[in-house]
Amino acid sequence: MAKKSRKQQPGGTPATVALTTAGTAFTVHSYEHDPSSASYGEEAAEALGVSPDRVFKTLVADVDGELVVAVVPVAGSLDLKALAAAVGGKRAAMADPAAAERTTGYVRGGISPLGQRKRLRTVLDASAASHPTICVSAGRRGLEVELSPEDLTALTTATLAPIGRA
């Protein structure tokens, strides 16, 4: 994987800037986003020619009144009960989209687990560990970043837990 610096990546996002600043190896993948696409993650997997179990979507949930980031494969869905358990909570629900956008600084469909305006607790689905690299949003629709799950875990201080459902 090639390192990209902000100079090499025109229109760098907070996510790519965070990766560059940390000195993390990553690859940026861009594609033409189709506004009529029903699923941002599945669109990304198809456009990039990557298996949907290696492309991860970033979701924001409310766990007992605290916003938490969940990163799960686009091939499945988030198990809210498992997410709550992973962070020691009782109840989880999807966060209000406006609150998620305001807190992270990203728009829906482009929320990245990296470079968020306010750093939130993050849980990465345990299936990520079975891949040498995974793709997550680079901070805008049509832009993905590929990096190792270990680097993503370290940069976000994520908890690894089985929070995805097939």
Side-chain angles (χ1 to χ4, degrees), residues 136-148:
V136 296
S137 175
R140 69 172 181 254
R141 297 171 188 152
L143 196 66
E144 295 283 309
V145 65
E146 181 178 352
L147 73 166
S148 76

Side-chain angles (χ1 to χ4, degrees), residues 27-145:
T27 304
V28 172
H29 301 283
S30 63
Y31 60 93
E32 193 64 40
H33 167 61
D34 177 2
S36 66
S37 180
S39 166
Y40 299 115
E42 289 175 9
E43 176 192 29
E46 186 175 320
L48 300 176
V50 176
S51 171
D53 65 338
R54 280 192 49 230
V55 178
F56 283 63
K57 56 189 168 187
T58 305
L59 304 171
V60 181
D62 181 316
V63 180
D64 300 333
E66 174 193 0
L67 292 182
V68 174
V69 171
V71 186
V72 296
V74 301
S77 60
L78 172 62
D79 181 336
L80 289 165
K81 194 172 186 175
L83 175 64
V87 296
K90 292 181 182 173
R91 276 193 61 223
M94 293 306 299
D96 172 65
E101 289 179 347
R102 193 172 44 253
T103 305
T104 64
Y106 293 116
V107 297
R108 213 168 55 119
I111 295 177
S112 177
L114 301 156
Q116 296 177 355
R117 181 177 292 147
K118 179 183 179 197
R119 191 172 187 155
L120 300 174
R121 284 206 300 179
T122 302
V123 181
L124 175 60
D125 185 64
S127 68
S130 66
H131 303 288
T133 62
I134 60 171
C135 295
V136 296
S137 175
R140 69 172 181 254
R141 297 171 188 152
L143 196 66
E144 295 283 309
V145 65

